[in-house]
Amino acid sequence: MYLCYNNQKIELCCQDGFKNRLMGIMFKKDKLNKALYFKRCNSIHTFFCKQDIAVIMTDKDDRIIYFNNKVRPNKVIIKLKAYNTYELPVGYFKKLKVNTYLRKEEC
């Protein structure tokens, strides 16, 4: 599955299950090269992360309500109105805008 915005797309990896949701990219030294998808998630932290990440939070329809193209380690982000959260490589999607939509495509 891929996450798409405008004419760009990136491989999407669903983080389901307790361990996957808890760990995310914590303690990983390899650079993030795909998007991580956290369904029903309105908060994240970057404690124990070894790299900066981009974060996009959307509502149930994948309408962007928050994004930050460079979140440093040891930060917390909480958006009560968010339903889905995506973690991506820093600056992957260019010119993101609030109230626009992300798309998911099958392979």
Side-chain angles (χ1 to χ4, degrees), residues 49-98:
C49 292
K50 307 284 185 194
Q51 60 189 290
D52 297 347
I53 59 172
V55 174
I56 303 171
M57 294 180 158
T58 67
D59 63 12
K60 287 183 180 182
D61 298 320
D62 273 335
R63 183 176 53 92
I64 298 170
I65 60 172
Y66 170 84
F67 67 90
N68 185 333
N69 276 324
K70 190 171 185 179
V71 178
R72 297 194 178 277
N74 302 314
K75 302 295 181 192
V76 174
I77 300 173
I78 301 170
K79 298 295 174 192
L80 297 178
K81 294 182 179 182
Y83 186 79
N84 297 316
T85 298
Y86 300 89
E87 296 179 358
L88 302 98
V90 171
Y92 187 83
F93 287 130
K94 307 292 186 222
K95 300 179 183 178
L96 284 170
K97 295 180 183 174
V98 172

